[in-house]
Short mmCIF file of all heavy atoms in Angstrom, two decimals:
data_model
loop_
_atom_site.label_atom_id
_atom_site.label_comp_id
_atom_site.label_asym_id
_atom_site.label_seq_id
_atom_site.Cartn_x
_atom_site.Cartn_y
_atom_site.Cartn_z
N MET A 1 -10.33 39.89 56.97
CA MET A 1 -10.65 38.53 57.25
C MET A 1 -11.86 38.03 56.43
O MET A 1 -12.89 38.70 56.34
CB MET A 1 -11.01 38.45 58.76
CG MET A 1 -11.47 37.05 59.17
SD MET A 1 -11.73 36.91 60.96
CE MET A 1 -12.77 38.20 61.36
N ILE A 2 -11.71 36.86 55.79
CA ILE A 2 -12.85 36.30 55.03
C ILE A 2 -13.98 35.83 55.96
O ILE A 2 -13.67 35.07 56.90
CB ILE A 2 -12.28 35.07 54.16
CG1 ILE A 2 -11.24 35.55 53.27
CG2 ILE A 2 -13.49 34.42 53.46
CD1 ILE A 2 -11.72 36.44 52.10
N LEU A 3 -15.17 36.31 55.71
CA LEU A 3 -16.24 35.86 56.54
C LEU A 3 -17.15 34.78 55.79
O LEU A 3 -17.55 33.88 56.34
CB LEU A 3 -17.16 37.06 56.82
CG LEU A 3 -16.50 38.14 57.66
CD1 LEU A 3 -17.47 39.33 57.89
CD2 LEU A 3 -15.92 37.67 58.97
N CYS A 4 -17.25 34.92 54.49
CA CYS A 4 -17.97 34.04 53.69
C CYS A 4 -16.99 33.29 52.71
O CYS A 4 -16.50 33.95 51.80
CB CYS A 4 -19.06 34.63 52.88
SG CYS A 4 -19.96 33.52 51.74
N HIS A 5 -16.71 32.12 53.02
CA HIS A 5 -15.65 31.40 52.22
C HIS A 5 -16.25 30.89 50.88
O HIS A 5 -15.49 30.80 49.92
CB HIS A 5 -15.04 30.24 53.06
CG HIS A 5 -14.26 30.70 54.20
ND1 HIS A 5 -12.89 31.04 54.06
CD2 HIS A 5 -14.58 30.92 55.47
CE1 HIS A 5 -12.43 31.44 55.24
NE2 HIS A 5 -13.42 31.39 56.10
N CYS A 6 -17.53 30.68 50.90
CA CYS A 6 -18.18 30.21 49.62
C CYS A 6 -18.11 31.31 48.57
O CYS A 6 -17.75 31.05 47.37
CB CYS A 6 -19.54 29.75 49.83
SG CYS A 6 -19.74 28.32 50.89
N ALA A 7 -18.36 32.52 48.96
CA ALA A 7 -18.37 33.69 48.00
C ALA A 7 -17.12 34.50 48.11
O ALA A 7 -17.02 35.57 47.43
CB ALA A 7 -19.66 34.46 48.19
N VAL A 8 -16.18 34.21 49.02
CA VAL A 8 -15.04 34.93 49.24
C VAL A 8 -15.39 36.41 49.53
O VAL A 8 -14.94 37.36 48.79
CB VAL A 8 -13.99 34.82 48.14
CG1 VAL A 8 -12.61 35.32 48.56
CG2 VAL A 8 -13.85 33.36 47.70
N VAL A 9 -16.08 36.61 50.58
CA VAL A 9 -16.51 37.91 51.00
C VAL A 9 -15.79 38.23 52.33
O VAL A 9 -15.97 37.48 53.36
CB VAL A 9 -17.98 38.08 51.18
CG1 VAL A 9 -18.44 39.45 51.69
CG2 VAL A 9 -18.61 37.77 49.81
N ASP A 10 -15.09 39.29 52.38
CA ASP A 10 -14.37 39.66 53.66
C ASP A 10 -15.08 40.78 54.48
O ASP A 10 -16.11 41.29 53.95
CB ASP A 10 -12.91 40.01 53.44
CG ASP A 10 -12.70 41.34 52.63
OD1 ASP A 10 -13.72 42.02 52.36
OD2 ASP A 10 -11.55 41.60 52.32
N HIS A 11 -14.63 41.03 55.59
CA HIS A 11 -15.29 42.03 56.50
C HIS A 11 -15.29 43.40 55.81
O HIS A 11 -16.24 44.20 56.06
CB HIS A 11 -14.57 42.09 57.89
CG HIS A 11 -13.27 42.65 57.92
ND1 HIS A 11 -12.19 41.96 57.46
CD2 HIS A 11 -12.81 43.85 58.31
CE1 HIS A 11 -11.06 42.74 57.58
NE2 HIS A 11 -11.49 43.89 58.08
N ARG A 12 -14.30 43.72 54.98
CA ARG A 12 -14.28 45.02 54.33
C ARG A 12 -15.39 45.14 53.34
O ARG A 12 -15.96 46.24 53.09
CB ARG A 12 -12.90 45.26 53.74
CG ARG A 12 -11.87 45.58 54.72
CD ARG A 12 -10.48 45.69 54.07
NE ARG A 12 -10.12 44.34 53.74
CZ ARG A 12 -8.89 43.86 53.70
NH1 ARG A 12 -7.90 44.75 53.92
NH2 ARG A 12 -8.49 42.73 53.48
N ALA A 13 -15.75 44.01 52.69
CA ALA A 13 -16.83 44.06 51.75
C ALA A 13 -18.17 44.28 52.43
O ALA A 13 -19.09 45.02 51.91
CB ALA A 13 -16.92 42.73 50.94
N ILE A 14 -18.27 43.83 53.65
CA ILE A 14 -19.55 44.06 54.36
C ILE A 14 -19.59 45.52 54.77
O ILE A 14 -20.65 46.22 54.64
CB ILE A 14 -19.59 43.14 55.67
CG1 ILE A 14 -19.42 41.68 55.35
CG2 ILE A 14 -20.85 43.48 56.50
CD1 ILE A 14 -20.48 41.11 54.50
N ASP A 15 -18.46 46.03 55.27
CA ASP A 15 -18.43 47.48 55.64
C ASP A 15 -18.73 48.35 54.46
O ASP A 15 -19.40 49.31 54.58
CB ASP A 15 -17.03 47.78 56.25
CG ASP A 15 -16.79 47.13 57.59
OD1 ASP A 15 -17.76 46.58 58.19
OD2 ASP A 15 -15.66 47.08 58.03
N ALA A 16 -18.16 47.91 53.27
CA ALA A 16 -18.33 48.78 52.07
C ALA A 16 -19.83 48.76 51.65
O ALA A 16 -20.32 49.82 51.16
CB ALA A 16 -17.49 48.21 50.92
N ALA A 17 -20.48 47.55 51.79
CA ALA A 17 -21.88 47.52 51.40
C ALA A 17 -22.72 48.50 52.27
O ALA A 17 -23.62 49.14 51.76
CB ALA A 17 -22.38 46.08 51.60
N VAL A 18 -22.40 48.49 53.54
CA VAL A 18 -23.17 49.39 54.44
C VAL A 18 -22.85 50.86 54.11
O VAL A 18 -23.64 51.67 54.01
CB VAL A 18 -22.82 49.13 55.92
CG1 VAL A 18 -23.39 50.17 56.82
CG2 VAL A 18 -23.36 47.74 56.29
N ALA A 19 -21.55 51.17 53.84
CA ALA A 19 -21.18 52.50 53.47
C ALA A 19 -21.79 52.98 52.14
O ALA A 19 -22.04 54.14 51.95
CB ALA A 19 -19.64 52.57 53.38
N GLU A 20 -22.11 52.03 51.30
CA GLU A 20 -22.72 52.33 49.98
C GLU A 20 -24.25 52.30 50.05
O GLU A 20 -24.89 52.49 49.11
CB GLU A 20 -22.25 51.32 48.94
CG GLU A 20 -20.72 51.46 48.62
CD GLU A 20 -20.17 50.24 47.81
OE1 GLU A 20 -20.98 49.44 47.42
OE2 GLU A 20 -19.01 50.32 47.62
N GLY A 21 -24.79 52.17 51.24
CA GLY A 21 -26.27 52.29 51.41
C GLY A 21 -27.04 51.13 51.99
O GLY A 21 -28.22 51.21 52.19
N ALA A 22 -26.42 50.00 52.07
CA ALA A 22 -27.13 48.77 52.59
C ALA A 22 -27.55 49.10 53.99
O ALA A 22 -26.68 49.42 54.76
CB ALA A 22 -26.32 47.50 52.42
N CYS A 23 -28.85 48.93 54.33
CA CYS A 23 -29.22 49.30 55.73
C CYS A 23 -29.94 48.12 56.41
O CYS A 23 -30.66 48.33 57.39
CB CYS A 23 -30.10 50.51 55.67
SG CYS A 23 -31.53 50.40 54.68
N SER A 24 -29.73 46.93 55.88
CA SER A 24 -30.21 45.71 56.53
C SER A 24 -29.30 44.63 56.20
O SER A 24 -28.53 44.62 55.22
CB SER A 24 -31.67 45.36 56.09
OG SER A 24 -31.64 44.97 54.69
N LEU A 25 -29.41 43.49 57.01
CA LEU A 25 -28.57 42.29 56.67
C LEU A 25 -28.97 41.79 55.33
O LEU A 25 -28.12 41.32 54.52
CB LEU A 25 -28.83 41.29 57.77
CG LEU A 25 -28.15 39.97 57.53
CD1 LEU A 25 -26.53 40.23 57.38
CD2 LEU A 25 -28.36 39.02 58.78
N ARG A 26 -30.23 41.78 55.00
CA ARG A 26 -30.72 41.24 53.73
C ARG A 26 -30.00 42.02 52.58
O ARG A 26 -29.57 41.42 51.62
CB ARG A 26 -32.17 41.34 53.61
CG ARG A 26 -32.77 40.84 52.28
CD ARG A 26 -34.20 40.94 52.23
NE ARG A 26 -34.73 40.43 50.97
CZ ARG A 26 -35.64 39.60 50.83
NH1 ARG A 26 -36.36 39.15 51.83
NH2 ARG A 26 -36.06 39.13 49.65
N GLU A 27 -29.98 43.35 52.72
CA GLU A 27 -29.40 44.15 51.59
C GLU A 27 -27.86 43.82 51.55
O GLU A 27 -27.37 43.89 50.40
CB GLU A 27 -29.65 45.60 51.93
CG GLU A 27 -31.02 46.02 51.66
CD GLU A 27 -31.27 47.49 51.93
OE1 GLU A 27 -30.32 48.30 52.03
OE2 GLU A 27 -32.47 47.88 51.99
N VAL A 28 -27.20 43.64 52.67
CA VAL A 28 -25.81 43.30 52.64
C VAL A 28 -25.58 41.94 52.00
O VAL A 28 -24.69 41.84 51.12
CB VAL A 28 -25.24 43.27 54.05
CG1 VAL A 28 -23.83 42.61 54.06
CG2 VAL A 28 -25.15 44.68 54.65
N LEU A 29 -26.44 40.95 52.22
CA LEU A 29 -26.33 39.67 51.59
C LEU A 29 -26.52 39.82 50.06
O LEU A 29 -25.78 39.16 49.28
CB LEU A 29 -27.37 38.70 52.16
CG LEU A 29 -27.13 38.41 53.66
CD1 LEU A 29 -28.31 37.44 54.18
CD2 LEU A 29 -25.73 37.70 53.89
N VAL A 30 -27.45 40.57 49.63
CA VAL A 30 -27.72 40.75 48.21
C VAL A 30 -26.46 41.45 47.54
O VAL A 30 -26.05 41.01 46.50
CB VAL A 30 -29.05 41.49 47.99
CG1 VAL A 30 -29.14 41.95 46.49
CG2 VAL A 30 -30.22 40.70 48.42
N ARG A 31 -26.01 42.47 48.19
CA ARG A 31 -25.00 43.25 47.54
C ARG A 31 -23.65 42.51 47.49
O ARG A 31 -22.86 42.62 46.55
CB ARG A 31 -24.74 44.59 48.30
CG ARG A 31 -25.80 45.59 48.08
CD ARG A 31 -25.58 46.77 49.00
NE ARG A 31 -26.72 47.76 48.91
CZ ARG A 31 -26.58 48.97 48.44
NH1 ARG A 31 -25.43 49.38 48.02
NH2 ARG A 31 -27.65 49.70 48.38
N THR A 32 -23.37 41.72 48.55
CA THR A 32 -22.08 41.04 48.57
C THR A 32 -22.06 39.58 48.04
O THR A 32 -21.02 39.03 47.74
CB THR A 32 -21.55 40.94 50.06
OG1 THR A 32 -22.48 40.12 50.82
CG2 THR A 32 -21.48 42.32 50.64
N ARG A 33 -23.29 39.06 47.94
CA ARG A 33 -23.52 37.65 47.58
C ARG A 33 -23.07 36.68 48.64
O ARG A 33 -22.94 35.41 48.40
CB ARG A 33 -22.83 37.36 46.24
CG ARG A 33 -23.31 38.28 45.09
CD ARG A 33 -22.78 37.98 43.76
NE ARG A 33 -23.27 36.71 43.27
CZ ARG A 33 -24.44 36.45 42.64
NH1 ARG A 33 -25.20 37.48 42.49
NH2 ARG A 33 -24.81 35.27 42.27
N ALA A 34 -22.81 37.15 49.81
CA ALA A 34 -22.47 36.27 50.96
C ALA A 34 -23.74 35.48 51.39
O ALA A 34 -24.86 35.94 51.14
CB ALA A 34 -21.95 37.14 52.13
N GLY A 35 -23.49 34.31 51.93
CA GLY A 35 -24.60 33.54 52.50
C GLY A 35 -25.50 32.78 51.51
O GLY A 35 -26.51 32.24 51.95
N ARG A 36 -25.11 32.70 50.30
CA ARG A 36 -25.97 32.14 49.30
C ARG A 36 -25.75 30.61 49.11
O ARG A 36 -26.53 29.99 48.43
CB ARG A 36 -25.79 32.77 48.01
CG ARG A 36 -26.24 34.21 47.96
CD ARG A 36 -26.16 34.78 46.57
NE ARG A 36 -26.82 36.06 46.65
CZ ARG A 36 -27.55 36.63 45.63
NH1 ARG A 36 -27.63 35.92 44.52
NH2 ARG A 36 -28.06 37.79 45.70
N ASP A 37 -24.69 30.12 49.74
CA ASP A 37 -24.42 28.68 49.50
C ASP A 37 -24.68 27.91 50.77
O ASP A 37 -25.84 27.55 51.10
CB ASP A 37 -23.02 28.53 49.05
CG ASP A 37 -22.73 27.11 48.41
OD1 ASP A 37 -23.72 26.26 48.42
OD2 ASP A 37 -21.58 26.88 48.00
N CYS A 38 -23.73 27.69 51.64
CA CYS A 38 -23.94 26.82 52.78
C CYS A 38 -24.58 27.51 53.92
O CYS A 38 -25.15 26.90 54.80
CB CYS A 38 -22.56 26.19 53.21
SG CYS A 38 -21.46 27.41 54.02
N GLY A 39 -24.41 28.84 53.98
CA GLY A 39 -25.05 29.55 55.08
C GLY A 39 -24.30 29.65 56.32
O GLY A 39 -24.68 30.31 57.30
N GLY A 40 -23.09 28.95 56.31
CA GLY A 40 -22.31 28.88 57.62
C GLY A 40 -21.73 30.18 58.04
O GLY A 40 -21.43 30.35 59.16
N CYS A 41 -21.68 31.15 57.15
CA CYS A 41 -21.16 32.50 57.42
C CYS A 41 -22.20 33.41 58.02
O CYS A 41 -21.79 34.50 58.44
CB CYS A 41 -20.55 33.10 56.18
SG CYS A 41 -21.84 33.31 54.89
N LEU A 42 -23.38 33.05 58.02
CA LEU A 42 -24.45 34.00 58.39
C LEU A 42 -24.29 34.73 59.73
O LEU A 42 -24.45 35.91 59.87
CB LEU A 42 -25.83 33.40 58.24
CG LEU A 42 -26.26 33.15 56.76
CD1 LEU A 42 -27.57 32.44 56.72
CD2 LEU A 42 -26.33 34.44 55.97
N PRO A 43 -23.92 33.79 60.79
CA PRO A 43 -23.71 34.49 62.05
C PRO A 43 -22.58 35.58 62.01
O PRO A 43 -22.77 36.69 62.55
CB PRO A 43 -23.33 33.37 62.95
CG PRO A 43 -24.00 32.17 62.38
CD PRO A 43 -23.85 32.44 60.91
N ALA A 44 -21.49 35.25 61.37
CA ALA A 44 -20.34 36.23 61.31
C ALA A 44 -20.74 37.39 60.40
O ALA A 44 -20.39 38.57 60.71
CB ALA A 44 -19.14 35.50 60.73
N VAL A 45 -21.44 37.15 59.29
CA VAL A 45 -21.86 38.25 58.47
C VAL A 45 -22.82 39.13 59.17
O VAL A 45 -22.78 40.43 59.10
CB VAL A 45 -22.46 37.73 57.12
CG1 VAL A 45 -23.08 38.92 56.35
CG2 VAL A 45 -21.39 37.03 56.27
N ARG A 46 -23.73 38.55 59.93
CA ARG A 46 -24.68 39.31 60.71
C ARG A 46 -23.96 40.19 61.74
O ARG A 46 -24.26 41.35 61.86
CB ARG A 46 -25.68 38.37 61.42
CG ARG A 46 -26.72 39.18 62.22
CD ARG A 46 -27.64 38.20 63.00
NE ARG A 46 -28.60 38.89 63.75
CZ ARG A 46 -29.71 39.45 63.31
NH1 ARG A 46 -30.07 39.26 62.10
NH2 ARG A 46 -30.52 40.06 64.13
N GLN A 47 -23.03 39.60 62.44
CA GLN A 47 -22.24 40.35 63.46
C GLN A 47 -21.54 41.54 62.81
O GLN A 47 -21.45 42.67 63.27
CB GLN A 47 -21.26 39.43 64.18
CG GLN A 47 -20.53 40.12 65.26
CD GLN A 47 -19.67 39.12 66.09
OE1 GLN A 47 -19.33 38.03 65.56
NE2 GLN A 47 -19.35 39.43 67.34
N GLN A 48 -20.85 41.31 61.69
CA GLN A 48 -20.13 42.40 61.00
C GLN A 48 -21.12 43.47 60.49
O GLN A 48 -20.82 44.67 60.59
CB GLN A 48 -19.36 41.79 59.86
CG GLN A 48 -18.40 42.86 59.10
CD GLN A 48 -17.31 43.33 60.08
OE1 GLN A 48 -16.78 42.61 60.97
NE2 GLN A 48 -16.93 44.60 59.89
N THR A 49 -22.26 43.01 60.01
CA THR A 49 -23.26 43.91 59.51
C THR A 49 -23.76 44.78 60.73
O THR A 49 -23.88 46.08 60.55
CB THR A 49 -24.40 43.27 58.90
OG1 THR A 49 -23.91 42.50 57.73
CG2 THR A 49 -25.46 44.22 58.37
N GLU A 50 -24.04 44.20 61.78
CA GLU A 50 -24.53 44.94 62.98
C GLU A 50 -23.46 45.95 63.41
O GLU A 50 -23.80 47.12 63.74
CB GLU A 50 -24.80 43.98 64.18
CG GLU A 50 -25.99 43.18 63.96
CD GLU A 50 -26.23 42.12 65.03
OE1 GLU A 50 -25.25 41.86 65.72
OE2 GLU A 50 -27.32 41.65 65.19
N SER A 51 -22.24 45.57 63.38
CA SER A 51 -21.17 46.51 63.80
C SER A 51 -21.09 47.67 62.80
O SER A 51 -21.01 48.81 63.19
CB SER A 51 -19.84 45.73 63.81
OG SER A 51 -18.76 46.64 64.02
N ALA A 52 -21.14 47.40 61.47
CA ALA A 52 -21.02 48.45 60.52
C ALA A 52 -22.19 49.33 60.59
O ALA A 52 -22.08 50.62 60.47
CB ALA A 52 -20.90 47.84 59.13
N LEU A 53 -23.42 48.83 60.83
CA LEU A 53 -24.62 49.64 60.93
C LEU A 53 -24.55 50.50 62.18
O LEU A 53 -25.03 51.62 62.14
CB LEU A 53 -25.84 48.74 60.98
CG LEU A 53 -26.25 48.11 59.59
CD1 LEU A 53 -27.40 47.13 59.76
CD2 LEU A 53 -26.58 49.17 58.58
N ARG A 54 -24.04 50.03 63.29
CA ARG A 54 -23.91 50.77 64.49
C ARG A 54 -22.97 52.00 64.21
O ARG A 54 -23.29 53.11 64.58
CB ARG A 54 -23.36 50.01 65.66
CG ARG A 54 -24.46 49.31 66.53
CD ARG A 54 -23.92 48.77 67.78
NE ARG A 54 -22.80 47.86 67.71
CZ ARG A 54 -23.02 46.55 67.44
NH1 ARG A 54 -24.17 46.06 67.45
NH2 ARG A 54 -21.98 45.79 67.30
N LEU A 55 -21.87 51.66 63.52
CA LEU A 55 -20.89 52.74 63.26
C LEU A 55 -21.57 53.75 62.27
O LEU A 55 -21.19 54.95 62.42
CB LEU A 55 -19.63 52.19 62.64
CG LEU A 55 -18.81 51.39 63.64
CD1 LEU A 55 -17.62 50.75 62.84
CD2 LEU A 55 -18.19 52.43 64.68
N ALA A 56 -22.37 53.31 61.44
CA ALA A 56 -23.01 54.20 60.43
C ALA A 56 -24.23 54.88 61.01
O ALA A 56 -24.77 55.85 60.42
CB ALA A 56 -23.43 53.40 59.15
N GLY A 57 -24.70 54.42 62.15
CA GLY A 57 -25.78 55.00 62.84
C GLY A 57 -27.10 54.78 62.21
O GLY A 57 -28.08 55.54 62.34
N THR A 58 -27.27 53.66 61.50
CA THR A 58 -28.47 53.27 60.83
C THR A 58 -29.11 52.17 61.63
O THR A 58 -28.66 51.65 62.60
CB THR A 58 -28.22 52.84 59.37
OG1 THR A 58 -27.26 51.69 59.38
CG2 THR A 58 -27.72 53.94 58.48
N ARG A 59 -30.25 51.70 61.16
CA ARG A 59 -31.09 50.66 61.85
C ARG A 59 -30.40 49.31 61.90
O ARG A 59 -29.48 49.04 61.10
CB ARG A 59 -32.48 50.57 61.23
CG ARG A 59 -32.44 49.99 59.77
CD ARG A 59 -33.92 50.07 59.32
NE ARG A 59 -33.94 49.75 57.88
CZ ARG A 59 -34.23 48.50 57.40
NH1 ARG A 59 -34.38 47.54 58.26
NH2 ARG A 59 -34.18 48.34 56.12
N HIS A 60 -30.95 48.45 62.79
CA HIS A 60 -30.41 47.19 62.95
C HIS A 60 -30.79 46.23 61.81
O HIS A 60 -31.74 46.48 61.11
CB HIS A 60 -30.90 46.54 64.23
CG HIS A 60 -30.40 47.30 65.44
ND1 HIS A 60 -29.10 47.08 65.91
CD2 HIS A 60 -30.95 48.14 66.27
CE1 HIS A 60 -28.89 47.85 66.95
NE2 HIS A 60 -30.02 48.52 67.20
N PRO A 61 -30.02 45.17 61.60
CA PRO A 61 -30.30 44.26 60.51
C PRO A 61 -31.67 43.54 60.68
O PRO A 61 -32.20 43.60 61.80
CB PRO A 61 -29.21 43.22 60.58
CG PRO A 61 -28.23 43.76 61.49
CD PRO A 61 -28.85 44.77 62.33
N ALA A 62 -32.12 42.93 59.62
CA ALA A 62 -33.42 42.20 59.66
C ALA A 62 -33.35 41.06 60.66
O ALA A 62 -32.32 40.51 61.00
CB ALA A 62 -33.66 41.72 58.26
N PRO A 63 -34.54 40.59 61.11
CA PRO A 63 -34.61 39.44 61.99
C PRO A 63 -34.05 38.23 61.31
O PRO A 63 -34.02 38.12 60.06
CB PRO A 63 -36.14 39.32 62.25
CG PRO A 63 -36.69 40.63 61.83
CD PRO A 63 -35.85 41.28 60.84
N SER A 64 -33.75 37.20 62.05
CA SER A 64 -33.13 36.09 61.53
C SER A 64 -34.05 35.39 60.46
O SER A 64 -33.41 34.77 59.52
CB SER A 64 -32.86 35.01 62.66
OG SER A 64 -31.87 35.61 63.54
N SER A 65 -35.33 35.44 60.61
CA SER A 65 -36.24 34.78 59.69
C SER A 65 -36.02 35.35 58.28
O SER A 65 -36.09 34.60 57.29
CB SER A 65 -37.66 34.90 60.13
OG SER A 65 -37.99 36.25 60.26
N GLU A 66 -35.74 36.60 58.26
CA GLU A 66 -35.49 37.27 56.87
C GLU A 66 -34.23 36.77 56.31
O GLU A 66 -34.02 36.63 55.10
CB GLU A 66 -35.57 38.81 57.07
CG GLU A 66 -35.50 39.52 55.70
CD GLU A 66 -35.64 41.00 55.81
OE1 GLU A 66 -36.21 41.45 56.86
OE2 GLU A 66 -35.16 41.70 54.94
N VAL A 67 -33.21 36.55 57.19
CA VAL A 67 -31.95 36.07 56.75
C VAL A 67 -32.03 34.76 56.07
O VAL A 67 -31.52 34.51 55.00
CB VAL A 67 -30.91 36.05 57.94
CG1 VAL A 67 -29.61 35.42 57.53
CG2 VAL A 67 -30.74 37.38 58.51
N VAL A 68 -32.79 33.84 56.68
CA VAL A 68 -32.97 32.50 56.19
C VAL A 68 -33.64 32.66 54.72
O VAL A 68 -33.18 31.93 53.80
CB VAL A 68 -33.82 31.63 57.12
CG1 VAL A 68 -34.17 30.31 56.40
CG2 VAL A 68 -33.09 31.41 58.41
N HIS A 69 -34.59 33.47 54.63
CA HIS A 69 -35.28 33.64 53.33
C HIS A 69 -34.24 34.24 52.30
O HIS A 69 -34.21 33.70 51.22
CB HIS A 69 -36.44 34.57 53.51
CG HIS A 69 -37.17 34.86 52.21
ND1 HIS A 69 -37.92 33.92 51.59
CD2 HIS A 69 -37.19 35.98 51.40
CE1 HIS A 69 -38.43 34.43 50.50
NE2 HIS A 69 -37.92 35.67 50.37
N ALA A 70 -33.48 35.15 52.77
CA ALA A 70 -32.57 35.81 51.78
C ALA A 70 -31.48 34.84 51.43
O ALA A 70 -31.07 34.85 50.24
CB ALA A 70 -31.87 37.05 52.40
N ALA A 71 -31.05 33.94 52.32
CA ALA A 71 -30.04 32.94 51.91
C ALA A 71 -30.57 31.91 51.11
O ALA A 71 -29.76 31.21 50.38
CB ALA A 71 -29.39 32.49 53.27
N GLY A 72 -31.83 31.56 51.16
CA GLY A 72 -32.38 30.41 50.45
C GLY A 72 -32.52 30.71 49.06
O GLY A 72 -32.29 30.09 48.09
S1 FES B 101 -19.50 30.45 53.93
FE1 FES B 101 -20.93 31.86 53.19
S2 FES B 101 -22.39 30.71 52.05
FE2 FES B 101 -20.89 29.29 52.71
#
């Protein structure tokens, strides 16, 4: 399922970014290029990142304030 329509990033790309070592929402955004345009996908990308990180047993994503900075 496409989560970021601007960058055409699907849920599998988010999972792959975490599997490849991304351990924060910011890192997922950098690796996938999601969230760089309208930002409308950020809640969905955050949710998918949280899910992937839980499954991977790593820390939680960055606070929302960091997300806004990463997306800007
Ligand atoms: S839908 Fe992701 S930046 Fe627009």
